[in-house]
């Protein structure tokens, strides 16, 4: 009973605060995150009333399966942006921009934090700086997608944005694995080329392979059903099944093999949208079914944020440097590479700002570091939590502003979105 009551309170809080932020013209996702913070362990949860908020972060973790499924549907929706017809126009540009802005963010964060290391060597080690640089590559697909959907954004910036956000995760996985391997080598003194090079490449390849297989099976099964309701049920089934399978981990000849659920589900959506003629219609129905799940996901994300990081000056200092360096890297990298690819002036000017949100993937990377690197890993985790807190609250608003100035969110679209929210 307590778990169900907590879920209902989370959904209600998210809905109420979406109305509050609407009055001050902020994206709904920001309201969901604020609602999560208020019903989390640092606010309403402190009262200790069963079912009324979350008293501990462990209680929030109990609902992790729902968050994983929500991320799966988010990745599945982004995968539907990888249509062959569209990729022929923007595929090359998206790949170049995604790679360049990700590496620019990594290099700038590395440089800034290594410089800071010489000022506070006892607090910030070189290993910590290197791993945080890799985490800087990740962009939050969930917040970006929610802003695009809420305001019905449409145009050249939006068209290239979603594929870049998707590619960011593949690039981020490889960069993080290499940097993480280097950091572990520096701490232990033993170079392990398998964990540094082979395993991250295998993770990307295996994730794409599993997504391809599930996408083909999904498309074949869809042909057995004519009813839209049954096709919707099958869609939900396959996404949940794909998320579950992507959690498998095994070892072959000493090599650890795992999957990225985001990459697997993105590939699932990409294969499906390119094989099935009725995929747009089915995706529209799936979007409506997942609306409450996405609200719950962001409220839980807010409840999970660790506000105690603000009490430690060293974490705030490293976090501020990290945020500034990453933001410059993302914006500058996107601008330079977009100009190099002769993209539309609006893409050159506004794309970088839309790439700032950061959440789930970055937190996953930081958790891996925390479990392995001891004190250095603990600092990485706390700095990542600090950055995510800032980016998740500010990032959606910046994305909205950028898309509005690019002319891809118009007053009429906002009115339509508001009408749907009222229904």
């Amino acid at each position: 009973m307590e778990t169900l009551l907590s879920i209902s309170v989370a959904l209600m809080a998210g809905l109420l605060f979406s109305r509050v932020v609407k009055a001050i013209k902020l994206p709904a996702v920001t309201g969901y995150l604020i609602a999560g913070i208020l019903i989390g362990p640092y606010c309403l949860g402190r009262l200790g009333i069963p079912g009324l908020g979350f008293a501990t972060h462990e209680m929030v973790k109990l609902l992790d399966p729902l968050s994983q499924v929500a991320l799966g549907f988010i990745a599945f929706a982004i995968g539907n942006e990888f249509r062959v017809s569209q990729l022929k126009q923007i595929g090359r540009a998206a790949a170049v921009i995604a790679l360049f802005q990700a590496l620019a963010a990594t290099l700038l964060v590395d440089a800034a934090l290594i410089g800071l290391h010489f000022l506070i060597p006892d607090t910030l080690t070189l290993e910590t700086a290197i791993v945080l640089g890799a985490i800087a590559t990740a962009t939050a697909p969930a917040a970006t997608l929610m802003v695009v959907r809420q305001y019905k954004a449409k145009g050249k910036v939006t068209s290239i944005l979603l594929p870049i956000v998707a590619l960011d995760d593949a690039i981020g996985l490889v960069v993080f694995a290499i940097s993480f391997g280097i950091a572990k080598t520096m701490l232990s003194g033993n170079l392990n080329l398998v964990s540094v090079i082979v395993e991250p490449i295998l993770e990307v390849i295996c994730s794409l392979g599993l997504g391809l297989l599930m996408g083909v099976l999904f498309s074949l099964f869809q042909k057995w059903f004519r009813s839209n309701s049954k096709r919707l049920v099958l869609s939900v089934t396959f996404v949940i099944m794909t998320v579950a399978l992507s959690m498998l981990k095994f070892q072959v000849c000493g090599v650890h093999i795992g999957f990225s659920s985001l990459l697997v589900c993105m590939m699932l959506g990409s294969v499906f949208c390119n094989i099935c003629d009725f995929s747009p219609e089915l995706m529209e129905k799936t979007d409506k079914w997942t609306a409450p799940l996405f609200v719950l996901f962001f409220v839980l994300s807010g409840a999970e944020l660790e506000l105690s990081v603000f009490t430690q000056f060293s974490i705030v200092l490293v976090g501020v440097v990290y945020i500034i360096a990453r933001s410059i890297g993302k914006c500058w990298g996107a601008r330079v590479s977009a100009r190099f690819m002769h993209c539309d002036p609006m893409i050159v000017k506004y794309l970088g700002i839309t790439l700032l949100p950061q959440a789930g993937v970055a937190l996953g990377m930081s958790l891996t570091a925390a479990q392995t690197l001891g004190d250095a890993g603990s600092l990485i985790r706390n700095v990542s939590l600090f950055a995510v807190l800032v980016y998740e609250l500010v990032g959606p608003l910046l994305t909205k502003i950028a898309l509005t100035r690019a002319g891809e969110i118009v007053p009429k679209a906002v009115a339509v979105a508001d009408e749907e929210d009222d229904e």
Side-chain angles (χ1 to χ4, degrees):
M1 184 193 79
E2 184 177 335
T3 300
L4 292 176
L5 186 58
S6 297
I7 291 174
S8 63
V9 168
L11 286 169
M12 182 58 71
L15 289 173
L16 291 176
F17 272 88
S18 71
R19 306 299 298 180
V20 172
V21 298
K22 177 185 173 184
I24 53 177
K25 301 187 182 305
L26 291 177
V29 62
T30 303
Y32 302 150
L33 290 165
I34 294 173
I37 293 173
L38 293 178
I39 66 170
Y42 293 97
C43 295
L44 193 60
R46 281 187 175 274
L47 299 177
I49 301 175
L52 188 63
F54 300 95
T56 65
H57 285 106
E58 286 69 27
M59 292 178 64
V60 184
K61 287 289 183 185
L62 291 175
L63 299 178
D64 254 3
L66 291 176
S67 296
Q68 291 294 332
V69 170
L71 274 174
F73 276 104
I74 289 166
F76 177 66
I78 291 177
N80 271 267
E81 300 298 323
F82 284 85
R83 297 179 185 276
V84 173
S85 58
Q86 187 177 6
L87 289 178
K88 286 180 180 179
Q89 299 175 349
I90 64 170
R92 185 165 172 266
V96 171
I97 295 172
L99 179 61
F100 192 84
Q101 56 84 28
L103 295 181
T106 294
L107 293 175
L108 276 179
V109 171
D110 276 341
L113 293 184
I114 288 173
L116 186 61
H117 157 74
F118 291 106
L119 296 177
I120 50 172
D122 294 335
T123 301
L124 181 64
T125 65
L126 285 175
E127 296 83 7
T128 302
I130 290 171
V131 174
L132 283 172
I135 293 174
T137 59
T139 301
T144 303
L145 182 65
M146 288 292 284
V147 172
V148 169
R149 283 185 175 175
Q150 180 186 356
Y151 295 103
K152 312 291 184 186
K154 187 176 181 181
K156 293 181 179 179
V157 179
T158 304
S159 296
I160 200 170
L161 168 62
L162 295 178
I164 288 175
V165 170
L167 289 170
D168 243 7
D169 290 312
I171 296 168
L173 283 171
V174 175
V175 173
F176 174 76
I178 293 173
S179 298
F180 185 57
I182 292 172
K184 286 195 297 183
T185 299
M186 292 171 67
L187 287 172
S188 65
N190 298 319
L191 180 63
N192 187 344
L193 292 178
V194 172
S195 62
V196 173
I197 298 175
V198 177
E199 289 182 356
I201 294 175
L202 274 178
E203 180 170 339
V204 173
I205 293 174
C206 290
S207 296
L208 295 177
L210 178 58
L212 174 62
L213 174 62
M214 295 301 291
V216 171
L217 291 175
F218 181 28
S219 301
L220 290 175
F221 272 85
Q222 286 285 359
K223 295 178 181 179
W224 293 1
F225 302 95
R226 300 296 179 187
S227 150
N228 284 333
S229 59
K230 290 181 179 177
R231 282 176 171 171
L232 174 60
V233 172
L234 187 63
S235 301
V236 172
T237 301
F238 258 86
V239 173
I240 295 176
M241 187 186 303
T242 302
V243 171
L245 292 175
S246 66
M247 294 179 179
L248 292 174
K249 296 182 185 295
F250 48 93
Q251 190 170 338
V252 178
C253 299
V255 178
H256 293 87
I257 297 177
F259 304 93
S260 163
S261 61
L262 284 174
L263 283 180
V264 176
C265 290
M266 284 177 194
M267 191 64 176
L268 172 71
S270 181
V271 172
F272 173 65
C273 76
N274 283 289
I275 292 180
C276 288
D277 297 332
F278 51 83
S279 63
E281 179 185 352
L282 188 57
M283 277 306 303
E284 185 179 348
K285 295 182 180 298
T286 303
D287 290 345
K288 292 179 180 179
W289 183 88
T290 55
L293 187 62
F294 288 171
V295 173
L296 182 60
F297 168 75
F298 283 104
V299 173
L300 292 177
S301 296
E304 211 171 8
L305 292 175
E306 182 61 74
L307 301 186
S308 63
V309 295
F310 284 113
T311 63
Q312 301 179 47
F313 175 76
S314 59
I315 293 175
V316 173
L317 175 61
V318 176
V320 168
V321 173
Y322 170 89
I323 289 170
I324 293 173
R326 178 181 179 271
S327 300
I328 293 173
K330 287 281 182 181
C331 293
W332 177 80
R335 177 182 288 266
V336 170
S337 53
R339 185 180 289 120
F340 175 77
M341 296 304 296
H342 305 291
C343 292
D344 185 272
M346 289 298 178
I347 295 176
V348 174
K349 190 173 183 180
Y350 294 112
L351 177 63
I353 299 173
T354 65
L355 297 173
L356 295 182
Q358 190 174 45
V361 178
L363 291 179
M365 293 176 178
S366 67
L367 181 59
T368 300
Q371 293 172 340
T372 310
L373 300 182
D375 292 339
S378 178
L379 179 61
I380 291 168
R381 178 67 173 171
N382 286 330
V383 170
S384 298
L385 286 167
F386 174 84
V388 165
L389 177 61
V390 174
Y391 276 127
E392 283 294 86
L393 292 176
V394 178
L397 175 61
L398 294 177
T399 299
K400 176 197 171 185
I401 292 172
L403 293 177
T404 300
R405 291 185 177 177
E408 301 188 11
I409 294 178
V410 295
K412 183 179 178 181
V414 174
V416 173
D418 290 345
E419 288 173 7
E420 290 182 355
D421 285 345
D422 291 335
E423 291 178 357

